[in-house]
Amino acid sequence: EAGVAQSPRYKIIEKRQSVAFWCNPISGHATLYWYQQILGQGPKLLIQFQNNGVVDDSQLPKDRFSAERLKGVDSTLKIQPAKLEDSAVYLCASSPGSANTGELFFGEGSRLTVL
Amino acid sequence: QQPVQSPQAVILREGEDAVINCSSSKALYSVHWYRQKHGEAPVFLMILLKGGEQKGHEKISASFNEKKQQSSLYLTASQLSYSGTYFCGTEIWRGSTLGRLYFGRGTQLTVWP
């Protein structure tokens, strides 16, 4: 079974530029999550989708971050404009059921460096 | 609402045991444990629901003390493959927080031969 796919794996941009990350969850998984993991810290939830609807985006900095999950399958996370403090690994995860009923399957992440 | 993990780091020899603790100031519905190796995705170890349940996974087990809002991860006879950063994720109450997981800062475990 294919795992959660993310791209790009690495991205270096200058502050005020924009960037987009893509995630393809495990086939059939209804719930998709985007987490931000700053170096030395645990993952922090940015947004959670159930199919193509937003369940929780309370911790998403909406002035610069946006995310969508068209057709309830893959998802994109965009940052515009980027700030230095956005440097982090952006992890996508999926799960088959509703909110946190069990295991989350994580992708390898997209590492963003903002200069 | 972020749980507190201790210790921050552990160094072991192969075959030694370790305990990693996770505590919360909020009433917990569940505790999740993940391991992340450097540059890789976090991998699910186990989930414990309120009720003081203890679970096991090979030589890795965990307990959940609902009254103290604490969970402990036990690694027995550690192997080199156990090296990595261990995160606990706590779910406060499903109804109000829609099942959001708050992850701790992690415990870095290094096992030497």
Side-chain angles (χ1 to χ4, degrees):
Chain A
E1 178 183 78
V4 176
Q6 291 188 245
S7 67
R9 287 294 310 277
Y10 305 93
K11 189 74 176 179
I12 300 174
I13 62 173
E14 295 188 348
K15 59 183 179 183
R16 290 187 289 274
Q17 287 187 323
S18 62
V19 63
F21 301 113
W22 173 83
C23 172
N24 189 22
I26 292 173
S27 177
H29 280 195
T31 308
L32 185 148
Y33 313 76
W34 283 103
Y35 283 87
Q36 179 191 57
Q37 186 174 24
I38 294 173
L39 185 66
Q41 298 184 19
K44 171 189 168 185
L45 180 67
L46 293 176
I47 189 167
Q48 178 177 340
F49 293 94
Q50 179 80 13
N51 295 310
N52 60 347
V54 176
V55 173
D56 184 351
D57 64 354
S58 58
Q59 299 189 104
L60 185 74
K62 297 180 184 65
D63 57 332
R64 298 183 299 105
F65 287 66
S66 65
E68 60 182 9
R69 189 184 184 195
L70 299 176
K71 300 181 181 179
V73 182
D74 54 356
S75 175
T76 57
L77 176 71
K78 296 180 181 178
I79 307 174
Q80 181 180 11
K83 292 185 175 182
L84 296 177
E85 59 261 34
D86 298 332
S87 293
V89 175
Y90 291 86
L91 294 165
C92 178
S94 69
S95 67
S98 58
N100 291 322
T101 54
E103 178 178 356
L104 300 186
F105 295 81
F106 283 90
E108 292 187 315
S110 295
R111 182 180 296 276
L112 173 66
T113 302
V114 182
L115 303 176
Chain B
Q1 294 178 337
Q2 181 183 38
V4 177
Q5 286 187 235
S6 63
Q8 288 186 334
V10 183
I11 300 176
L12 299 173
R13 289 284 185 185
E14 209 173 358
E16 293 182 336
D17 302 338
V19 180
I20 299 172
N21 300 303
C22 174
S23 63
S24 172
S25 59
K26 303 286 186 180
L28 297 178
Y29 180 88
S30 68
V31 179
H32 303 221
W33 285 97
Y34 285 80
R35 176 172 62 207
Q36 184 178 31
K37 293 183 181 287
H38 184 69
E40 298 181 8
V43 174
F44 175 80
L45 293 176
M46 64 191 78
I47 177 175
L48 300 101
L49 302 178
K50 67 176 183 177
E53 173 177 7
Q54 183 156 353
K55 282 198 168 182
H57 180 267
E58 296 179 345
K59 293 182 180 179
I60 301 175
S61 61
S63 62
F64 178 20
N65 187 322
E66 184 184 347
K67 290 183 179 179
K68 294 185 177 180
Q69 309 307 327
Q70 292 176 350
S71 177
S72 294
L73 186 71
Y74 306 94
L75 298 102
T76 305
S78 58
Q79 305 169 12
L80 297 178
S81 61
Y82 287 3
S83 292
T85 301
Y86 290 77
F87 293 99
C88 70
T90 54
E91 186 180 3
I92 297 176
W93 182 60
R94 194 166 287 181
S96 66
T97 64
L98 301 175
R100 183 193 309 160
L101 278 183
Y102 292 90
F103 283 96
R105 296 178 69 95
T107 295
Q108 188 171 351
L109 181 77
T110 305
V111 181
W112 292 95

